[in-house]
Amino acid sequence: METSDLSTATGASKSASRPRLKSSEQWIWLNAAAIGASLCALFGMLLLLFVKGSAHFWPADIAQIDYTNTFGESRQLYGRIIEVESVPIEQFLESGRSLQGAAGESATVERWLVKSGSRRLNPPDFRWVFSAQVNGTSYPKDLTVFQRMEWGDLYGMPLALSAPNEPEKVFPRTSSDSPALLMEKLQRRLEQVRETRRQIASLESGEVRRISVQLEEARSQLRFLNQTADSIPNNQLLTQRVQVLEVSIKKVSMQLRKLYENLDRGSVYVQLAQGSVAEIKLAELYSARQPNQMSTLSKASNFIANIGSFLTENPREANTEGGVFPAIFGTVLMVLLMSVMVAPLGVITAIYLHEYAKPGVLVSVIRIAINNLAGVPSIVFGVFGLGFFVYFLGGNIDQLFFPEKLPSPTFGTPGLLWASLTLALLTLPVVIVSTEEGLTRVPRSMREGGLALGATKAETLFSIVLPAVRPAILTGVILAIARAAGEVAPLMLVGVVKLAPALAVDSIFPYLHLDRKFMHLGFHIYDVGFQSPNIEAARPLVYATALVLVGLIVGLNLAAITLRNRLEHIYRDVET
Amino acid sequence: MTEQDPQGTPEVDSGRACLEMRDLSMWYGSEPALNGISMDVQAQSVTAFIGPSGCGKSSLLRCFNRMNDLIDGVKTSGSIKFYGAEINHDPIDVSELRRKIGMVFQKPNPFPKSIFDNVAFGLKMQGYRSRVEIEEQVEWALKSAALWDEVKNRLKDPALALSGGQQQRLVIARAIAIKPSVLLLDEPASSLDPISTLKIEELIHQLKNDYTIVIVTHNMQQAARVSDYTAFLHMGEIVEIGATDQIFLNPVHQQTEDYITGRYG
C-alpha cells in the first residue's frame, strides 16, 4: 500500500497507521526520573557514609543506665547508646527474660546497643539492653571518656590523681579536689605527656631511624666484603664507620631513655560503673573528655578536632583507633606515581598506533588487545605484578644492585614501585584510548599547516598536535586516577600492608623510598572492617575511612579536571 | 590588473619560469586526477587556476610542495622543475622544498597558539633562536600581511580568537615569515565574507612584487581581478592557459568561454 500509493501517503495518514510518540514530554520525564534516581543513590551513599562515619567523631553524651539483668540483679552501666531497634516480643521472651512494666501491651520491645567501652576491665564492651529492663537513665556531669592508648575508651568517674614521680602504692585513693579542679590538673598533666610523647616519636622516626638505617647499611656492606674477601683498606674504613655509628646510636638511645624517664609516671584512678576502681597510667592515656558537660559549640569544635586528628595521625591498636594519615599518604603517593608512569607510556603508545603504525591486521589486533586489557579483572594484574615485577624484575635488580643485602630483598619484595607499576599497567588502556581519540580529533588542516611550513612530521607532532591533545591525555589520566585510587585487590599482592613501619617519603636519602611497603585507604577499609579484633568498635571507622577515600578520589579528580579545563580554555576553538 | 605583464604567453618566456611542469600526471589510486600537464609558472607574477570542482586544480597546486605525499595511494609521473631543479622525484628534502614554497589553505588553520607564536612557528623550526630577531621577523610578516595594525597590541592572544578574515591573513603572515619564494593559495577567500576577501585580494596585489603566487579559485571575478596569468583546467587537463586578459576577454576555446561566462560548471 505504501509503495503503490506514495503520493497520498502523507505524514498524517502514516501516523494514523503507526502509533507515534506524539509528544516528547513523557520521554523527558523518564530522563529526569532516571537522573533523579541516580542522584538519589549517589547522595544517599555519601550521606550514609557521612552520618555513620561522623558518629565516631562526635563527642556524644555518656549515659548512666540502671537496669535489672536476666537474673533479677540490679546493675549499672556507663556507656554510649549507639543503636535503638525494635525486637519482636517472642524473641525477648525466648531469651529467658520476663516482662515487667509498661512494655507489656505492644508486640515489640525496644533494645539498645550500648557501647560500654572499658575493654578488659569490664567486659563485654558492647552490650544489648532491653528498654523494658531499664530502671533509669541519667547523664552525670562528671562522667568522663578516657581514650587509652590501648584497649579503647573507658567510661568512668575520675576519683584522684597520683603524683607524677613516685608510683603510688596506696590504692584506691580519693582526692580532696573538686571534680572540676581534678579534671583541670589531669588535662595539664596530659598535655605534658603528649608533648613528651611527641618528642619521643620525632626522635624515634628521625634520628634513631636515620642512624640505624646507616648502621644497617654499613654492617651489611662489611659482611659482604668479608664474604668476598675484598680490599682491606675499604674494610677498615667501614669498620671505623660502624664504630662511629654505634657510638652515635648509643648517644641517641640515652637521649631517648631520658625522655622516657621524663614521662609522667602517675596514674588517674577511675570509678567504673559497678563501683570498682581502675587505675590508668597517664603515660597510657591519650585524652580525657567530659561530653556531658560540653555545650553544643564545644562539642562541634571537638568534632572538628577529632576529624583533624583522624586525618593527620597514625593508626593505633591494630588500626581500630587513631588516624589514617599513612593510608592517605600512601594512596596519594601511589596514585601520583602511577599517573607519572602511565601518562608517558600511554601517550607514546597511542602516538605510535595512531601516527606511525601502518593500518593493518597487526594494528587492529593490538587495538583489540588493548581494549580487552581494560576488561581483565584487576586481581589478574596483581598476580602478574607479583610474578613479573616483584619476583622477576625485583629479584634481578637485587642481584645486580643490592647484592650486599641479600638474602633479605630490597626490590624483590612487594613495594610502592611495583604497586604503582602494576596499576599503571592496569590503567594503560584508558590512557591509550583517550589519547588516540584526542589525536583523531585534531583536524587534518592543523597538521597540514605545520607540514606546509617545512616542519617535519615529528616537529609537527610535538609542537602542534600534542599540545592540542593535552586535554584528551588529561581526561585519560583522570579516568586512570579514578580507577587506580579505588583498586584494592591487586595492591594486596604487590605492596600494600596493614601497617607500614614508615612512610615512603622521609628525610633519609634518597628521600623517596620506592622499595617500601605502604598503606592504602581501600585496604585499610577492608582491614579495619573485616580483620579487626573488635568489629563493633571499628564499624564507624569503616564508614569514615570510606568517606575519606571517596573525598580523596574526588579531590584528585577535581585537581586533574581543573588542570584540563585550563588547558581546554586555551585550546577550546581547535575543533571548530 | 594594474601591473599587466606586457609580455606574451608564459610558454615562450622560459627565462623567468619559476615552476616548469612537463607531462605531469597524477592518480589517486587508480583514479587519474591530472593528465599530462605541461606549463610554466612565471616568477613574480600571479597565476590563477580556474575550473569546475574536481578538475584537479587543487591537486595540481599540492604537487608543487609535495602535499600529496600525505595522501595514501597517490602516484605521480612526469617532471616539475623549481628554478631548474627537479622536485617531483626523490631524493629531495621535502621540508626544505616546503620552506621555499609556502602554502595557504582554503580554511584558515591557525595553530592553537598565540598570534605571535603562530607567526614565529616557522622561524623557530628554521632554527632562529634570537628573541629580537624573531620579533623583528614576526612584525615584518604581520605588516606584510596587513595585519599588524589590528593585532599589534594583542600578540599574546590566542590566534583562534581572531575573525575568519584575520585568521586567513595571519596564516599568510605565517607563510611569508619564513621568506618563501613561492606562495600557493588554495581558494584562500572561499570561506570569507566580501570585505575580508577584498583585503586578501589587495594583499595578493602587494605580495606579487616579491613572491611568485599561484592561486586556485572558484571565483571567476577574483581570478580576473588578481591574476596575471590564468589556466583553465578541466578533467585533469589544461584546456587553455594565457594572460588573464586574453583568457577572459578573448578565449580561444569554446569550453573556456562557456565556463567563464557561467554557462558551464
Side-chain angles (χ1 to χ4, degrees):
Chain A
M1 175 230 161
E2 277 173 4
T3 45
S4 62
D5 210 21
L6 259 180
S7 57
T8 56
T10 58
S13 71
K14 263 191 180 166
S15 69
S17 65
R18 210 181 82 212
R20 294 179 57 184
L21 212 52
K22 286 222 178 58
S23 138
S24 57
E25 205 159 290
Q26 301 95 319
W27 180 236
I28 292 169
W29 276 110
L30 187 69
N31 288 346
I35 290 171
S38 315
L39 285 181
C40 280
L42 191 67
F43 285 112
M45 180 190 79
L46 291 179
L47 195 70
L48 176 89
L49 289 183
F50 183 75
V51 169
K52 294 275 192 180
S54 60
H56 180 72
F57 304 112
W58 184 258
D61 288 342
I62 309 300
Q64 173 186 333
I65 302 168
D66 296 294
Y67 68 105
T68 317
N69 73 1
T70 322
F71 310 109
E73 300 157 335
S74 106
R75 294 277 168 183
Q76 202 182 42
L77 189 63
Y78 295 152
R80 247 172 88 172
I81 301 170
I82 298 212
E83 221 177 292
V84 177
E85 64 175 38
S86 294
V87 195
I89 203 142
E90 291 81 14
Q91 193 184 335
F92 177 70
L93 292 172
E94 275 165 19
S95 68
R97 296 174 172 89
S98 60
L99 265 183
Q100 304 156 342
E105 302 300 311
S106 65
T108 58
V109 273
E110 237 179 34
R111 68 171 185 182
W112 303 342
L113 179 62
V114 180
K115 179 184 179 185
S116 54
S118 318
R119 273 181 85 196
R120 245 179 132 205
L121 292 168
N122 192 11
D125 57 345
F126 281 86
R127 50 183 107 193
W128 290 102
V129 176
F130 286 92
S131 60
Q133 297 175 317
V134 173
N135 305 322
T137 319
S138 63
Y139 294 89
K141 279 211 165 334
D142 299 329
L143 208 43
T144 311
V145 182
F146 294 96
Q147 240 188 320
R148 296 177 292 178
M149 299 296 283
E150 280 172 1
W151 307 108
D153 291 353
L154 184 140
Y155 303 126
M157 308 280 195
L159 290 177
L161 261 173
S162 65
N165 289 327
E166 75 269 20
E168 204 58 46
K169 296 282 187 293
V170 196
F171 174 82
R173 251 182 61 150
T174 47
S175 166
S176 55
D177 294 335
S178 73
L181 190 62
L182 189 68
M183 205 57 197
E184 209 185 302
K185 278 183 180 170
L186 176 63
Q187 295 294 15
R188 222 176 297 134
R189 301 249 306 259
L190 262 183
E191 189 47 54
Q192 279 172 2
V193 170
R194 272 195 285 262
E195 180 53 41
T196 318
R197 220 183 269 140
R198 252 198 297 277
Q199 286 169 1
I200 290 173
S202 80
L203 197 63
E204 276 177 342
S205 66
E207 202 73 357
V208 175
R209 232 193 118 73
R210 178 157 48 236
I211 296 172
S212 53
V213 164
Q214 285 171 352
L215 189 61
E216 181 51 42
E217 224 157 66
R219 273 179 185 155
S220 62
Q221 268 174 16
L222 196 60
R223 209 166 39 236
F224 185 68
L225 285 180
N226 281 338
Q227 273 168 10
T228 51
D230 231 356
S231 53
I232 307 299
N234 254 341
N235 237 335
Q236 279 174 342
L237 262 173
L238 266 175
T239 317
Q240 273 175 17
R241 190 170 151 72
V242 167
Q243 281 163 356
V244 169
L245 283 169
E246 272 169 351
V247 170
S248 57
I249 206 159
K250 245 173 224 154
K251 244 186 250 166
V252 180
S253 307
M254 285 291 287
Q255 236 176 310
L256 205 58
R257 196 177 311 153
K258 214 174 272 170
L259 276 175
Y260 272 113
E261 276 164 10
N262 275 348
L263 261 181
D264 199 321
R265 273 178 295 161
S267 300
V268 60
Y269 296 97
V270 182
Q271 188 218 315
L272 300 182
Q274 286 294 51
S276 60
V277 176
E279 178 193 3
I280 311 171
K281 290 206 167 66
L282 284 188
E284 289 164 9
L285 190 58
Y286 187 77
S287 74
R289 272 198 213 112
Q290 295 180 313
N292 293 2
Q293 289 187 13
M294 288 182 187
S295 65
T296 313
L297 199 68
S298 68
K299 271 184 180 174
S301 78
N302 241 300
F303 175 71
I304 291 164
N306 282 348
I307 291 178
S309 61
F310 179 69
L311 294 176
T312 54
E313 278 177 14
N314 288 333
R316 291 180 282 118
E317 283 241 43
N319 294 352
T320 56
E321 296 276 335
V324 292
F325 178 71
I328 297 177
F329 190 84
T331 310
V332 172
L333 188 64
M334 191 269 298
V335 167
L336 289 182
L337 279 174
M338 187 272 315
S339 314
V340 168
M341 290 174 193
V342 76
L345 199 61
V347 170
I348 290 169
T349 312
I351 287 175
Y352 179 75
L353 279 180
H354 192 268
E355 303 285 317
Y356 289 103
K358 289 219 158 51
V361 182
L362 187 64
V363 171
S364 312
V365 169
I366 291 174
R367 279 226 174 82
I368 292 169
I370 287 169
N371 285 327
N372 282 328
L373 211 58
V376 172
S378 55
I379 189 83
V380 176
F381 282 96
V383 172
F384 171 79
L386 186 68
F388 181 73
F389 291 140
V390 176
Y391 291 150
F392 179 72
L393 271 187
N396 282 322
I397 288 175
D398 278 1
Q399 296 267 330
L400 283 172
F401 300 108
F402 305 99
E404 73 275 5
K405 284 191 185 159
L406 285 172
S408 72
T410 310
F411 277 102
T413 176
L416 181 60
L417 176 67
W418 305 133
S420 312
L421 256 180
T422 305
L423 283 194
L425 208 61
L426 177 87
T427 51
L428 192 59
V430 179
V431 178
I432 294 177
V433 168
S434 71
T435 307
E436 267 209 86
E437 268 167 22
L439 284 170
T440 314
R441 284 206 310 260
V442 172
R444 204 190 139 91
S445 65
M446 213 64 80
R447 294 162 207 265
E448 285 187 336
L451 292 170
L453 285 171
T456 61
K457 187 170 181 180
E459 283 168 343
T460 310
L461 189 64
F462 279 100
S463 48
I464 296 166
V465 177
L466 272 192
V469 177
R470 273 193 295 198
I473 296 172
L474 274 169
T475 304
V477 174
I478 290 166
L479 292 173
I481 287 174
R483 171 129 199 238
E487 261 331 320
V488 180
L491 294 178
M492 287 158 72
L493 296 174
V494 291
V496 159
V497 285
K498 175 191 174 78
L499 198 65
L503 295 180
V505 174
D506 59 21
S507 56
I508 302 171
F509 183 80
Y511 312 117
L512 174 63
H513 302 273
L514 292 173
D515 55 321
R516 283 194 191 157
K517 294 181 176 51
F518 63 104
M519 292 173 73
H520 184 272
L521 281 170
F523 183 71
H524 197 80
I525 293 171
Y526 168 74
D527 178 62
V528 171
F530 301 98
Q531 308 284 301
S532 90
N534 194 357
I535 290 175
E536 202 67 61
R539 189 177 292 171
L541 275 180
V542 171
Y543 289 111
T545 314
L547 192 65
V548 172
L549 180 58
V550 172
L552 193 75
I553 294 174
V554 169
L556 282 169
N557 274 320
L558 276 183
I561 289 169
T562 316
L563 189 62
R564 181 188 62 184
N565 287 351
R566 280 191 47 192
L567 287 176
E568 241 165 29
H569 180 72
I570 303 171
Y571 294 108
R572 126 193 89 179
D573 297 323
V574 175
E575 280 158 42
T576 56
Chain B
M1 297 288 266
T2 49
E3 290 179 52
Q4 185 58 51
D5 195 339
Q7 294 177 10
T9 53
E11 280 93 341
V12 293
D13 187 19
S14 58
R16 289 183 57 204
C18 167
L19 288 158
E20 299 165 78
M21 283 149 272
R22 292 293 174 267
D23 202 22
L24 179 69
S25 299
M26 188 190 128
W27 297 266
Y28 289 113
S30 58
E31 197 77 20
L34 298 174
N35 193 5
I37 289 193
S38 299
M39 66 169 280
D40 293 348
V41 171
Q42 297 306 307
Q44 266 79 51
S45 67
V46 179
T47 305
F49 291 164
I50 60 170
S53 294
C55 70
K57 49 192 192 306
S58 284
S59 300
L60 180 59
L61 194 73
R62 293 166 68 99
C63 280
F64 299 153
N65 66 346
R66 298 284 291 267
M67 279 315 252
N68 287 323
D69 291 8
L70 307 176
I71 301 161
D72 285 334
V74 166
K75 283 178 300 195
T76 57
S77 75
S79 135
I80 306 173
K81 287 210 167 106
F82 175 55
Y83 287 116
E86 177 63 46
I87 57 169
N88 200 31
H89 300 288
D90 288 326
I92 62 153
D93 184 346
V94 176
S95 295
E96 190 56 39
L97 174 72
R98 288 177 186 152
R99 276 173 205 161
K100 288 183 184 145
I101 304 184
M103 187 168 198
V104 172
F105 297 86
Q106 187 171 353
K107 253 175 77 179
N109 60 345
F111 303 135
K113 300 171 184 288
S114 72
I115 295 169
F116 181 88
D117 286 343
N118 259 278
V119 184
F121 177 83
L123 298 169
K124 285 177 184 161
M125 286 294 140
Q126 284 216 15
Y128 280 77
R129 288 288 168 268
S130 143
R131 179 89 200 158
V132 180
E133 221 174 332
I134 291 177
E135 272 171 9
E136 276 172 9
Q137 289 282 326
V138 168
E139 184 177 341
W140 169 82
L142 284 170
K143 276 179 177 160
S144 304
L147 192 60
W148 177 253
D149 291 335
E150 290 162 63
V151 299
K152 64 183 172 194
N153 294 325
R154 48 183 184 133
L155 291 173
K156 292 275 168 279
D157 284 8
L160 290 159
L162 295 173
S163 75
Q166 288 173 325
Q167 286 188 9
Q168 196 64 305
R169 275 179 285 149
L170 177 71
V171 171
I172 293 174
R174 188 174 75 185
I176 60 180
I178 56 173
K179 307 233 167 104
S181 60
V182 180
L183 211 50
L184 308 175
L185 308 177
D186 189 356
E187 299 184 36
S190 67
S191 62
L192 303 181
D193 62 279
I195 291 169
S196 301
T197 304
L198 198 66
K199 282 190 175 162
I200 297 280
E201 287 178 7
E202 280 168 6
L203 186 56
I204 292 170
H205 263 302
Q206 285 160 20
L207 291 175
K208 79 171 173 188
N209 296 326
D210 301 310
Y211 303 91
T212 305
I213 293 174
V214 186
I215 177 169
V216 164
T217 178
H218 255 123
N219 182 333
M220 232 61 62
Q221 284 75 30
Q222 189 171 55
R225 280 196 298 265
V226 301
S227 68
D228 305 320
Y229 304 105
T230 299
F232 172 58
L233 279 85
H234 182 55
M235 304 282 280
E237 290 176 25
I238 292 185
V239 175
E240 192 167 349
I241 181 165
T244 301
D245 279 1
Q246 187 203 328
I247 295 275
F248 277 87
L249 299 175
N250 196 10
V252 178
H253 291 266
Q254 184 61 39
Q255 216 175 1
T256 315
E257 192 178 339
D258 286 352
Y259 182 71
I260 56 182
T261 52
R263 261 175 279 167
Y264 169 79

